Amino acid sequence: MNGLVIIGAGGFARETAQAVRDAGGTELLGHLDDDPALHGTAVDGVPVLGGCDLVNDLPGARVVVCVGNPRDYAARARLVRRLGLPTERYATVIHPTAAVSPTCEVGPGSVLLAHCALTAAVRVGAHVAVMPQVVLTHDDVVEDYATLASGVRLGGGARLERGAYVGSGALVREGTTVGAWSLIGMGSAVLGDVPPGEVWVGSPARRLRAADAPARDELATRTMGGPVT
């Protein structure tokens, strides 16, 4: 069986489904979600086929994992690890209104939604969520599992390390690094490097507290040399 399966049936998954339909050329088979109340229903006209592990019964389908929110932005990494699929199973979804220059790279399992822009030599890793109207400028690096909420702007040469979450409308100064599994609050202005595993908010952004437990757990897993796929 060919086509595409979207893991998750929440807001991000629904937006991704619309991007797939807008792009055309790919059969959207449906959503997989672990909420049994959704099984057998349809979300925006797209069927929810069953739980996430049903992906193993669809060996010919491409997959994209679309879960996570600011309260648990490590969910995508955990689910990819749980599914254990080979890299070649993962699709990359790019909305037709996204502007991606030929010098940019976008990894497997990543999603670029409407009207985002990648200008020159931007590198986006695997399983990255880029929401509408995000702007990534020259030489930015966005590592695996990062999330950029709508309207985020990164100056040239900025880096988002693995799993970083940048809230809606936030600005990140050129040459600045946001550490792994840190969270930047919506509307914040990041003017200096952010350490891993912290929450920063405000303009200019300052440390608020440590990141929540799911993000800290992911950070500890990688630091301790555990599974990091």
Side-chain angles (χ1 to χ4, degrees):
M1 179 183 293
N2 296 317
L4 177 71
V5 171
I6 297 175
I7 306 293
F12 177 31
R14 294 166 57 203
E15 290 177 311
T16 301
Q18 188 60 53
V20 172
R21 289 182 290 198
D22 289 347
T26 300
E27 181 185 6
L28 182 55
L29 301 177
H31 296 277
L32 299 179
D33 195 283
D34 285 335
D35 183 354
L38 295 175
H39 299 171
T41 67
V43 178
D44 298 338
V46 180
V48 181
L49 304 174
C52 296
D53 292 328
L54 187 62
V55 72
N56 296 309
D57 296 331
L58 303 168
R62 304 292 300 281
V63 179
V64 63
V65 177
C66 298
V67 300
N69 57 64
R71 294 174 299 281
D72 184 6
Y73 51 96
R76 196 156 61 252
R78 292 198 308 272
L79 190 47
V80 169
R81 190 161 56 240
R82 169 185 144 193
L83 295 176
L85 299 175
T87 300
E88 57 268 21
R89 287 288 305 275
Y90 286 105
T92 300
V93 176
I94 300 177
H95 193 277
T97 63
V100 182
S101 82
T103 60
C104 298
E105 301 175 6
V106 181
S110 290
V111 176
L112 277 58
L113 292 179
H115 304 292
C116 62
L118 283 64
T119 63
V122 175
R123 288 187 290 136
V124 174
H127 308 290
V128 172
V130 182
M131 300 302 179
Q133 299 184 334
V134 167
V135 177
L136 305 178
T137 54
H138 68 88
D139 303 304
D140 287 338
V141 176
V142 180
E143 296 185 7
D144 299 350
Y145 302 108
T147 300
L148 297 94
S150 59
V152 167
R153 268 67 172 151
L154 267 59
R159 176 182 290 269
L160 302 185
E161 293 185 341
R162 182 183 180 91
Y165 186 107
V166 183
S168 298
L171 308 174
V172 179
R173 188 176 187 173
E174 67 274 7
T176 299
T177 296
V178 176
W181 300 106
S182 282
L183 182 147
I184 305 301
M186 59 190 304
S188 297
V190 179
L191 303 183
D193 291 348
V194 174
E198 296 187 356
V199 177
W200 282 47
V201 300
S203 181
R206 301 181 186 277
R207 186 184 190 276
L208 178 65
R209 56 177 173 81
D212 290 336
R216 296 200 312 271
D217 289 346
E218 284 296 323
L219 182 62
T221 296
R222 189 170 180 87
T223 302
M224 294 169 61
V228 294
T229 57

